[in-house]
Amino acid sequence: MKELLVATGNKGKMNEIRQILADFFDRLYCLEDFPDLPDAIEDGLTFEENACKKALPVAIATGIPTVADDSGLVVDALEGRPGIFSARYAGSGSSDAENNQKLLHEMTGLKDNQRTAFFYCAVALCFPDGTCRTFCGTLNGVLLESPRGDGGFGYDPLFLIPEYGKTLAELGTEVKNGISHRGRALEKLRKYFSLGNGE
Ligand code: ITT
């Protein structure tokens, strides 16, 4: 039986990951199935490092292969900020709305051609024996001056995909998963399992 635990406290991510992986595993667990696990300490310097820090202790504690996603928005004109600090850009415990507000403030006055950015996602797959692999994906876009759409989560309402003329919050989860940083990273993970690895 193919089992996987998805170690994230972010409901938006969990929804997307569930949609992408549900048909592939016999059982997908989430952190709520294991309420006594300690919180991850995300003090790594890269997305990959933080993804492993979230997944490895959980895999070891539960005995179940575990994935975690560390992701964020990388803005060219802000020298890569907010990057690995995307979830807490406006301060620890900040909401998506507060982070978006701060981003808009930092980007005030930037012209269209200075508003390019990409999302980066590192997915770590860790096993109870202590081994880990990572898979990454990116998605390019342009940041708008005001939010559009109410789907998705995080910075989605500001993130325009020029090819579609829509923000990620306007595209719907299925389309988003087909093109997103997270969708691409998880596609690589699916391929890894399809080749008979990790069983
Ligand atoms: P977990 O660590 O529990 O998984 P988190 O939200 O703290 O949840 P991260 O540390 O990886 O996760 O931070 C990711 C942040 O980057 C997230 O909170 C959003 O602000 C942003 N982000 C990542 N992927 C995104 C996406 O697909 N759409 C919009 N914003 C995204």
XYZ file of all heavy atoms in Angstrom, residues 90-153:
473
model
N 5.419 40.286 6.264
C 4.986 41.465 7.029
C 5.146 41.242 8.538
O 4.603 41.999 9.338
C 3.538 41.794 6.687
N 5.893 40.215 8.923
C 6.122 39.934 10.340
C 5.582 38.569 10.707
O 4.752 38.012 10.006
N 6.081 38.046 11.834
C 5.703 36.690 12.226
C 4.182 36.611 12.472
O 3.609 37.495 13.116
C 6.543 36.308 13.447
O 5.807 35.629 14.367
N 3.559 35.589 11.921
C 2.107 35.418 12.073
C 1.281 36.303 11.149
O 0.062 36.394 11.307
N 1.919 36.946 10.180
C 1.171 37.872 9.316
C 0.218 37.117 8.377
O 0.475 35.983 7.975
C 2.135 38.750 8.512
O 3.089 37.951 7.859
N -0.883 37.788 8.020
C -1.887 37.180 7.129
C -1.457 37.375 5.676
O -0.596 38.210 5.361
C -3.244 37.847 7.352
O -3.169 39.199 6.932
N -2.129 36.635 4.768
C -1.867 36.821 3.339
C -2.121 38.274 2.941
O -1.346 38.873 2.180
C -2.785 35.904 2.512
C -2.386 34.438 2.599
O -1.268 34.145 3.056
O -3.203 33.587 2.200
N -3.214 38.860 3.458
C -3.556 40.248 3.096
C -2.453 41.215 3.544
O -2.079 42.134 2.792
C -4.887 40.628 3.722
N -1.913 40.990 4.730
C -0.840 41.874 5.233
C 0.440 41.727 4.402
O 1.115 42.708 4.096
C -0.560 41.561 6.705
C -1.668 42.039 7.624
C -1.585 41.437 9.032
O -1.004 40.338 9.195
O -2.139 42.056 9.956
N 0.737 40.490 4.014
C 1.932 40.269 3.182
C 1.763 40.928 1.814
O 2.701 41.545 1.291
C 2.182 38.767 3.007
C 2.673 38.110 4.282
O 3.312 38.758 5.108
N 2.374 36.839 4.448
N 0.565 40.796 1.245
C 0.310 41.418 -0.063
C 0.416 42.936 0.029
O 0.955 43.587 -0.870
C -1.086 41.011 -0.574
C -1.094 39.615 -1.167
O -0.099 39.173 -1.719
N -2.194 38.912 -1.057
N -0.108 43.480 1.128
C -0.059 44.923 1.344
C 1.390 45.402 1.409
O 1.778 46.389 0.796
C -0.781 45.222 2.663
C -1.539 46.529 2.719
C -2.246 46.863 1.415
O -3.039 46.058 0.921
N -1.949 48.016 0.828
N 2.193 44.656 2.153
C 3.607 45.042 2.281
C 4.306 44.968 0.925
O 5.091 45.852 0.561
C 4.315 44.137 3.296
C 5.818 44.296 3.237
C 6.537 44.097 4.512
C 8.024 44.419 4.285
N 8.857 44.169 5.411
N 4.001 43.916 0.168
C 4.629 43.755 -1.143
C 4.274 44.936 -2.050
O 5.161 45.528 -2.698
C 4.164 42.435 -1.772
C 4.728 42.134 -3.151
C 6.226 41.889 -3.074
C 4.041 40.914 -3.763
N 2.990 45.299 -2.063
C 2.563 46.424 -2.906
C 3.284 47.698 -2.481
O 3.718 48.497 -3.321
C 1.045 46.620 -2.809
C 0.221 45.571 -3.544
C -1.262 45.797 -3.322
C 0.557 45.562 -5.035
N 3.427 47.875 -1.189
C 4.099 49.063 -0.667
C 5.571 49.107 -1.142
O 6.049 50.128 -1.628
C 4.015 49.057 0.860
C 4.658 50.233 1.480
N 4.128 51.512 1.387
C 5.815 50.362 2.172
C 4.917 52.358 2.000
N 5.963 51.694 2.478
N 6.254 47.975 -1.014
C 7.673 47.901 -1.418
C 7.850 48.134 -2.922
O 8.911 48.556 -3.365
C 8.262 46.521 -1.096
C 8.229 46.140 0.353
C 9.491 46.548 1.085
O 10.545 46.001 0.774
O 9.405 47.452 1.954
N 6.788 47.835 -3.684
C 6.910 47.933 -5.138
C 6.308 49.223 -5.702
O 6.231 49.387 -6.924
C 6.246 46.718 -5.800
C 6.937 45.414 -5.415
S 6.338 44.015 -6.326
C 6.983 44.343 -7.966
N 5.936 50.123 -4.822
C 5.324 51.373 -5.264
C 6.230 52.079 -6.268
O 7.445 52.213 -6.035
C 5.088 52.321 -4.060
O 4.358 51.608 -3.094
C 4.318 53.567 -4.472
N 5.640 52.514 -7.366
C 6.397 53.306 -8.340
C 7.138 52.482 -9.377
O 7.677 53.040 -10.338
N 7.171 51.163 -9.200
C 7.874 50.337 -10.198
C 7.013 50.188 -11.453
O 5.808 49.967 -11.367
C 8.191 48.949 -9.632
C 9.230 48.899 -8.510
C 9.415 47.472 -8.012
C 10.563 49.471 -8.986
N 7.660 50.333 -12.599
C 6.922 50.223 -13.877
C 6.663 48.754 -14.213
O 7.269 47.867 -13.619
C 7.761 50.844 -14.989
C 8.060 52.307 -14.775
C 8.589 52.929 -16.070
C 8.986 54.375 -15.852
N 10.195 54.506 -14.978
N 5.780 48.523 -15.219
C 5.400 47.153 -15.598
C 6.621 46.264 -15.826
O 6.668 45.131 -15.364
C 4.571 47.166 -16.890
C 3.152 47.625 -16.599
O 2.842 47.882 -15.408
O 2.368 47.761 -17.559
N 7.596 46.797 -16.557
C 8.745 45.940 -16.891
C 9.688 45.710 -15.701
O 10.659 44.973 -15.811
C 9.508 46.493 -18.098
C 10.152 47.833 -17.806
O 9.980 48.389 -16.712
N 10.887 48.369 -18.769
N 9.375 46.344 -14.567
C 10.183 46.122 -13.360
C 9.430 45.254 -12.352
O 9.863 45.122 -11.212
C 10.506 47.467 -12.692
C 11.335 48.406 -13.552
C 11.435 49.774 -12.891
O 10.417 50.422 -12.615
N 12.652 50.203 -12.634
N 8.293 44.705 -12.772
C 7.442 44.002 -11.821
C 7.477 42.479 -12.037
O 6.566 41.752 -11.641
C 6.002 44.526 -11.897
C 5.916 46.034 -11.651
C 4.492 46.549 -11.605
N 3.812 46.166 -10.393
C 3.808 46.869 -9.253
N 4.453 48.017 -9.181
N 3.169 46.425 -8.194
N 8.531 41.989 -12.646
C 8.638 40.545 -12.894
C 9.035 39.793 -11.607
O 9.726 40.336 -10.744
C 9.694 40.258 -13.965
O 10.910 40.910 -13.576
C 9.271 40.790 -15.319
N 8.557 38.558 -11.522
C 8.824 37.745 -10.321
C 8.651 36.281 -10.690
O 8.137 35.962 -11.769
C 7.832 38.109 -9.221
N 9.087 35.409 -9.791
C 8.742 33.989 -9.976
C 8.456 33.344 -8.631
O 8.929 33.802 -7.587
C 9.830 33.229 -10.746
C 11.167 33.117 -10.071
C 11.481 32.027 -9.270
C 12.143 34.102 -10.245
C 12.733 31.919 -8.654
C 13.396 34.004 -9.638
C 13.679 32.907 -8.847
N 7.610 32.329 -8.686
C 7.406 31.478 -7.519
C 8.390 30.323 -7.611
O 8.640 29.790 -8.699
C 5.993 30.879 -7.504
C 4.948 31.773 -6.899
C 3.893 32.241 -7.676
C 4.995 32.119 -5.559
C 2.911 33.038 -7.113
C 4.022 32.927 -4.993
C 2.977 33.388 -5.769
N 8.908 29.920 -6.466
C 9.802 28.755 -6.400
C 9.217 27.780 -5.382
O 8.739 28.197 -4.317
C 11.200 29.190 -5.938
C 12.233 28.095 -6.036
C 13.024 27.963 -7.171
C 12.409 27.185 -4.994
C 13.977 26.951 -7.267
C 13.355 26.167 -5.082
C 14.130 26.068 -6.219
O 15.075 25.056 -6.326
N 9.257 26.521 -5.727
C 8.782 25.499 -4.782
C 9.810 24.376 -4.698
O 10.230 23.843 -5.723
C 7.451 24.927 -5.266
S 6.863 23.547 -4.271
N 10.209 24.051 -3.476
C 11.027 22.860 -3.244
C 10.174 21.877 -2.455
O 9.626 22.229 -1.411
C 12.283 23.219 -2.449
N 10.038 20.677 -2.997
C 9.320 19.617 -2.295
C 10.364 18.622 -1.804
O 11.192 18.157 -2.594
C 8.318 18.915 -3.237
C 7.799 17.624 -2.620
C 7.151 19.850 -3.560
N 10.330 18.335 -0.506
C 11.233 17.316 0.043
C 10.425 16.046 0.284
O 9.300 16.104 0.784
C 11.841 17.783 1.351
N 11.012 14.934 -0.097
C 10.434 13.614 0.175
C 11.409 12.913 1.105
O 12.549 12.645 0.712
C 10.282 12.838 -1.135
C 9.953 11.355 -1.013
C 8.562 11.145 -0.410
C 10.015 10.679 -2.388
N 10.980 12.666 2.327
C 11.880 12.065 3.319
C 11.319 10.734 3.806
O 10.100 10.560 3.885
C 12.076 12.995 4.510
S 12.823 14.565 4.043
N 12.232 9.832 4.126
C 11.851 8.480 4.532
C 12.254 8.231 5.983
O 13.199 8.866 6.489
C 12.536 7.451 3.616
C 12.048 7.538 2.194
C 12.721 8.326 1.264
C 10.895 6.873 1.797
C 12.255 8.438 -0.039
C 10.430 6.976 0.493
C 11.107 7.753 -0.420
N 11.558 7.289 6.630
C 11.862 6.994 8.034
C 13.314 6.568 8.269
O 13.815 6.691 9.387
C 10.893 5.852 8.370
C 9.751 6.030 7.413
C 10.360 6.565 6.152
N 14.005 6.106 7.225
C 15.416 5.720 7.418
C 16.349 6.925 7.366
O 17.572 6.786 7.429
C 15.841 4.672 6.376
C 15.913 5.247 4.952
O 15.643 6.454 4.766
O 16.233 4.482 4.023
N 15.804 8.118 7.210
C 16.619 9.333 7.263
C 17.037 9.875 5.902
O 17.674 10.924 5.818
N 16.669 9.173 4.829
C 17.054 9.686 3.504
C 16.024 10.712 2.998
O 14.836 10.625 3.315
C 17.176 8.550 2.462
O 15.969 7.808 2.466
C 18.332 7.640 2.777
N 16.522 11.667 2.215
C 15.670 12.722 1.661
C 16.033 12.968 0.206
O 17.205 12.868 -0.169
C 15.930 14.059 2.368
S 15.203 14.208 3.959
N 15.030 13.340 -0.584
C 15.249 13.814 -1.960
C 14.463 15.083 -2.126
O 13.421 15.246 -1.498
C 14.678 12.824 -2.971
C 15.502 11.609 -3.211
C 14.964 10.925 -4.455
N 15.258 11.745 -5.638
C 16.314 11.562 -6.412
N 17.155 10.591 -6.147
N 16.516 12.324 -7.461
N 14.929 15.975 -2.998
C 14.125 17.175 -3.234
C 13.829 17.316 -4.734
O 14.593 16.855 -5.586
C 14.832 18.456 -2.732
O 16.089 18.575 -3.380
C 15.010 18.448 -1.236
N 12.711 17.972 -5.014
C 12.239 18.221 -6.378
C 11.822 19.688 -6.420
O 11.181 20.168 -5.477
C 11.024 17.338 -6.695
C 11.254 15.887 -6.411
C 10.994 15.365 -5.145
C 11.743 15.041 -7.389
C 11.213 14.026 -4.864
C 11.966 13.694 -7.128
C 11.705 13.179 -5.858
N 12.163 20.399 -7.504
C 11.812 21.821 -7.498
C 11.000 22.203 -8.735
O 10.983 21.495 -9.748
C 13.063 22.685 -7.402
S 14.057 22.641 -8.881
N 10.322 23.321 -8.639
C 9.558 23.854 -9.766
C 9.470 25.366 -9.649
O 9.541 25.911 -8.543
N 9.331 26.040 -10.801
C 9.213 27.505 -10.787
C 8.053 27.932 -11.684
O 7.605 27.179 -12.557
C 10.491 28.202 -11.306
O 10.716 27.776 -12.655
C 11.703 27.885 -10.469
N 7.587 29.149 -11.469
C 6.548 29.740 -12.317
C 6.802 31.243 -12.431
O 6.861 31.942 -11.418
C 5.161 29.498 -11.700
C 3.995 30.198 -12.402
C 3.803 29.661 -13.819
C 2.699 30.012 -11.603
N 6.953 31.720 -13.671
C 7.208 33.151 -13.894
C 5.913 33.927 -14.020
O 4.916 33.422 -14.530
C 7.999 33.347 -15.193
C 9.399 32.800 -15.076
O 10.073 33.012 -14.068
N 9.838 32.065 -16.068
N 5.957 35.195 -13.610
C 4.785 36.055 -13.752
C 5.141 37.512 -13.520
O 6.322 37.879 -13.442
N 4.093 38.330 -13.413
C 4.254 39.769 -13.246
C 3.342 40.208 -12.102
O 2.193 39.751 -12.024
C 3.846 40.492 -14.553
C 3.837 42.000 -14.357
C 4.769 40.097 -15.703
N 3.836 41.077 -11.228
C 3.016 41.496 -10.078
C 2.175 42.726 -10.407
O 2.702 43.758 -10.848
C 3.924 41.743 -8.876
C 4.533 40.426 -8.364
C 5.731 40.680 -7.466
C 3.487 39.577 -7.649
N 0.874 42.608 -10.180
C -0.052 43.704 -10.445
C 0.044 44.761 -9.343
O 0.677 44.548 -8.309
C -1.484 43.162 -10.494
C -1.793 42.161 -11.601
C -3.243 41.696 -11.485
C -1.547 42.786 -12.974
N -0.657 45.892 -9.574
C -0.657 46.952 -8.557
C -1.832 46.835 -7.597
O -1.909 47.547 -6.592
C -0.657 48.314 -9.247
C 0.693 48.580 -9.899
C 0.729 49.887 -10.656
O 0.137 50.867 -10.170
O 1.333 49.903 -11.735
N -2.784 45.942 -7.934
C -3.883 45.680 -6.990
C -4.373 44.256 -7.213
O -4.223 43.705 -8.312
C -5.014 46.692 -7.175
O -5.432 46.682 -8.505
N -4.928 43.647 -6.145
C -5.307 42.223 -6.240
C -6.480 41.972 -7.177
O -7.345 42.834 -7.334
C -5.691 41.872 -4.794
C -5.877 43.147 -4.080
C -5.155 44.219 -4.829
N -6.497 40.775 -7.783
C -7.604 40.349 -8.649
C -7.915 38.875 -8.410
O -7.016 38.046 -8.480
C -7.196 40.523 -10.119
C -7.608 41.873 -10.689
C -7.050 42.125 -12.050
N -7.018 40.992 -12.952
C -6.441 41.036 -14.163
N -5.863 42.165 -14.584
N -6.432 39.982 -14.938
N -9.183 38.566 -8.156
C -9.604 37.168 -8.020
C -9.646 36.714 -6.575
O -8.983 37.298 -5.719
N -10.454 35.687 -6.308
C -10.499 35.232 -4.915
C -10.223 33.737 -4.737
O -10.530 33.177 -3.702
C -11.809 35.637 -4.216
C -12.980 35.626 -5.162
O -13.133 34.620 -5.899
O -13.696 36.627 -5.200
N -9.606 33.110 -5.712
C -9.171 31.717 -5.534
C -7.768 31.688 -4.945
O -7.195 32.732 -4.638
N -7.242 30.477 -4.785
C -5.849 30.311 -4.377
C -5.572 30.800 -2.974
O -6.453 30.832 -2.114
N -4.344 31.233 -2.739
C -3.926 31.698 -1.412
C -2.683 32.568 -1.587
O -2.183 32.746 -2.709
C -3.652 30.504 -0.474
C -2.435 29.694 -0.857
C -1.200 29.922 -0.255
C -2.520 28.714 -1.838
C -0.075 29.176 -0.605
C -1.406 27.967 -2.198
C -0.186 28.198 -1.586
